[in-house]
């Protein structure tokens, strides 16, 4: 009986560990940063993609991000988001490219 309860306890500990540390790996791919826009490239008025280069406030390095969402693209086209604006950004690396998941002015927009 003690052997069975020991095995059950061991399995419960393993399941709890997997539940706690499993999602951390999925979140590790998402990168957050705050930085100022140094360059915005839109390929045209009907573009469905833009490229924004930001200077990270913490490290000072330049990060280039691909922006696909329509709301942010409209803000680029309307000049509501321009070079020099401070941005709060979340992105993930897909196929070696930084793809934006969240792109907002720190002051709100």
């Amino acid at each position: 009986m003690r052997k069975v309860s020991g095995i059950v306890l061991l399995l419960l500990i393993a399941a709890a560990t997997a539940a706690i540390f499993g999602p951390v790996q999925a979140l590790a791919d998402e990168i957050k940063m705050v930085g100022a826009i140094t360059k915005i490239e839109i390929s045209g008025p009907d573009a469905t993609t833009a490229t924004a280069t930001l200077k990270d406030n913490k490290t000072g390095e330049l990060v280039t991000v691909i922006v696909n969402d329509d709301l942010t693209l409209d803000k680029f086209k309307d000049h509501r988001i321009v070079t020099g604006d401070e941005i709060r950004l979340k992105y993930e690396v897909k196929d070696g490219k930084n793809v934006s998941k969240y792109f907002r002015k720190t002051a709100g927009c």
Side-chain angles (χ1 to χ4, degrees), residues 31-39 52-65 89 91 93 98:
I31 302 166
K32 298 177 184 179
M33 70 171 264
V34 175
I37 297 176
T38 60
K39 185 178 182 182
T53 304
L54 292 92
K55 183 176 181 181
D56 190 348
N57 284 352
K58 287 185 182 177
T59 64
E61 78 179 55
L62 294 177
V63 177
T64 302
V65 180
L89 169 70
Y91 67 92
V93 180
N98 301 331

